[in-house]
Amino acid sequence: MMNTVVRTVRTPRVFSAAAGIGSEKAVAAWWIGSHSASTMTLGEKEQHKEDTVAGGGASAGDPKRKEVVSYWGVQPAKVTKEDGTEWKWNCFKPWETYQADLSIDLKKHHVPKTLLDKFAYWMVKSLRLPTDIFFQRRYGCRAMMLETVAAVPGMVGGMLLHCKSLRRFEHSGGWIKALLEEAENERMHLMTFMEVAKPKWYERALVFTVQGIFFNAYFLAYLASPKLAHRITGYLEEEAIHSYTEFLKELDKGNIENVKAPAIAIDYWRLPADSTLRDVVMVVRADEAHHRDVNHFASDIHYQGLELKDSPAPIGYH
């Protein structure tokens, strides 16, 4: 029996910002190779690879680039920036980038009035003490730890709303997407700060422990009371704003070196090429303020006896 594989030849997907930075338009062109049903034998495949190397193709030009042979023919298109240079990030695409809204009010605070709100508020406050003791003024490592926890609520809430939507055969009002957007945004914060501060082995071990405990605790809290879970997240985001404000103070005092912004941050937030760590902290803090608003808003919806689907979700609220 002759084995076959699928060959897919790709051309770049073009992202253009000429039509507007937020246009989210991309064009992909695909050509399927020769032979019937775009297939060829393994022997032919080997010959094709030799011809490619001999002819100075992509396989020869880039030793790190490996051609993936797949029966299913699932191959990602090559994405380029508007200037024609290759887009090097697989974790996000150009149309998913944005410019942070730095004009948001950072001092807004939800005053706890009900017993449930007071419980959420003081629980979050109690978690700040051990964090302050452990990390002290090491705000780079503190930011990493913070983001490993901050990325959990959106994923848990989005997952549970997803399952609820399936069970009830109903729409979510966009809240599944909004919460998953939040989780992804928080994860991108982590990917950015990993370029600035390298965690020690015991800090990595702490992440395993804290994330395991927090994920399960938040999962149970959301099942029991979504309004409590979202209120907790809202207060966590308020603490995040405070932490990043202290981070900025240390940068301004010169206690932390204001290094060049990581390349991933420049592309994700569309920052100028000469941006620094301070610029990154500014946009991350603005993100946290938006997450604060979304989660307090979600909790208020539940407090009014409604469900999240009854109010349009703030999708894309950055």
Side-chain angles (χ1 to χ4, degrees), residues 201-216:
W201 68 267
Y202 58 85
E203 291 171 335
R204 290 178 178 271
L206 183 62
V207 168
F208 270 90
T209 304
V210 172
Q211 190 184 78
I213 295 172
F214 183 74
F215 179 93
N216 288 286

Side-chain angles (χ1 to χ4, degrees), residues 7 13-14 17 20 33 53 62 109 145 196 203 208 214 233 248 273 277 293 298 308 314:
R7 178 181 64 180
R13 174 179 293 174
V14 182
V53 174
D62 186 358
H109 166 63
M145 172 61 72
V196 178
E203 291 171 335
F208 270 90
F214 183 74
T233 307
L248 288 171
L277 176 59
D293 294 352
L308 293 184

